[in-house]
Amino acid sequence: MATRITVYEVGPRDGLQNEARVVPTDGKLALVAALADAGLTRIEATSFVSPAWIPALADSAELVARLPARPGVQYVALVPNGKGLARLLEARGKASPASPVDAAVFLSASETHNKKNVNKTIEETFRAFDEVIGPALAAGLRVRGYVSTAWGCPFEGAVDPRRVAGIAERLLGLGCWQVSLGDTIGVGTPNQTREIVGLLAPRARPGSIALHLHETRGTALANVLAGLEAGITTFDASVGGLGGCPYAPGASGNLATEDLVYMLHGMGYETGVDYGKLVTAGALAQELVGRRLPGRALQAELAGRERAARAAEAKA
Ligand code: HMG
Ligand code: MG
């Protein structure tokens, strides 16, 4: 059993892209700093997609230029095409070299979701990646790949796991160091997870497959367990359970980072994350978006903190 698990934090990007309230750049930077201070070493900070499509992350150039320098932390920005990469490289040039920013590309396993999300067919999307993956690698960035709707599509329903495996292998072949399989709408069950991972993992480098699960129907942690048993060592999660894809109806509820870390620590895995500081980052995320976040561990710990504060007050 692996003892070290990487928790890949997507809240600042996947979470905030979907929020009705646009968080000011300073607030986003404070959240990123709190997550880094909690010990998260991979943080997806923003995206360089079209600001017309994702207005909440229109400040990505400023954000990247001002990312807190935290040696050992790897930041990532989502990039859909050559224009996005050019914008990332320019912003990156202004950032501290102590906090490098890598790129991530994304596409869906189902044509309809892909079209709605990036206005391209899957093949056209791969052609756009020619402007991203090779040039990013040549510029010294690492590139991660996402395969969305891997467990099911909001428009097409069931997705063939062999199709998911084929797209993931193609991304790895193009030079992605890791591919994250996305249960974008949170429909996955552990048997499916075993099937998808079982098709891919034996043929992929150790550590090159990650899972990006959603808690929409309460199955994300069960899928994490299935992934752990199949040898997966990287799981994506979003602080407080923020987020979802704005182009996938019903895609609420990324797996909450606190829920994931709580379970992993309880099972004896090491993550390098300080759970108490992570809860503090979750409280900040909640304050920034102005609503109660769905993460269950976060809510349990915050309620515990409130009870303890009241008890201390009563004693004083
Ligand atoms: P399009 O409208 O087809 O783009 O959008 P276009 O190439 O026709 O260009 C139209 C205009 O957009 C042009 O400007 C371009 O320059 C501009 P104009 O000449 O009209 O002034 N443009 C850009 N501007 C800034 N940055 C860019 C860029 N590209 C073009 N990079 C596009 C195509 C891909 C750009 C658009 O569909 C898009 O941005 N989509 C992103 C949607 C998105 O971010 N979705 C959420 C992320 S995916 C996700 O959340 C799932 C994941 O978490 C995994 C999971 O949960 O499963 C990863
Ligand atoms: Mg997502």
Side-chain angles (χ1 to χ4, degrees), residues 38-122:
L40 288 152
T41 53
R42 295 202 201 286
I43 303 177
E44 203 159 281
T46 188
S47 65
F48 287 85
V49 299
S50 160
W53 284 60
I54 306 283
L57 303 184
D59 62 348
S60 50
E62 184 191 347
L63 184 110
V64 161
R66 294 176 55 204
L67 279 170
R70 293 285 191 282
V73 173
Q74 192 64 55
Y75 295 118
V76 183
L78 214 59
V79 170
N81 53 19
K83 175 150 189 179
L85 178 64
R87 292 175 58 218
L88 165 59
L89 291 177
E90 193 188 342
R92 199 178 185 264
K94 297 176 187 154
S96 159
S99 55
V101 187
D102 278 338
V105 295
F106 57 104
L107 82 170
S108 314
S110 54
E111 287 289 354
T112 315
H113 181 258
N114 200 64
K115 186 80 182 169
K116 292 204 187 273
N117 200 32
V118 291
N119 202 21
K120 290 181 183 62
T121 64
I122 289 173

Side-chain angles (χ1 to χ4, degrees), residues 271-316:
T271 65
V273 176
D274 179 318
Y275 182 67
K277 288 185 181 170
L278 178 62
V279 169
T280 302
L284 173 62
Q286 189 161 263
E287 199 184 304
L288 289 170
V289 299
R291 67 182 177 92
R292 185 184 159 92
L293 291 177
R296 284 170 291 191
L298 173 67
Q299 294 309 334
E301 306 310 347
L302 291 180
R305 284 184 184 184
E306 211 176 301
R307 280 195 301 276
R310 266 199 239 110
E313 231 173 70
K315 251 191 196 170

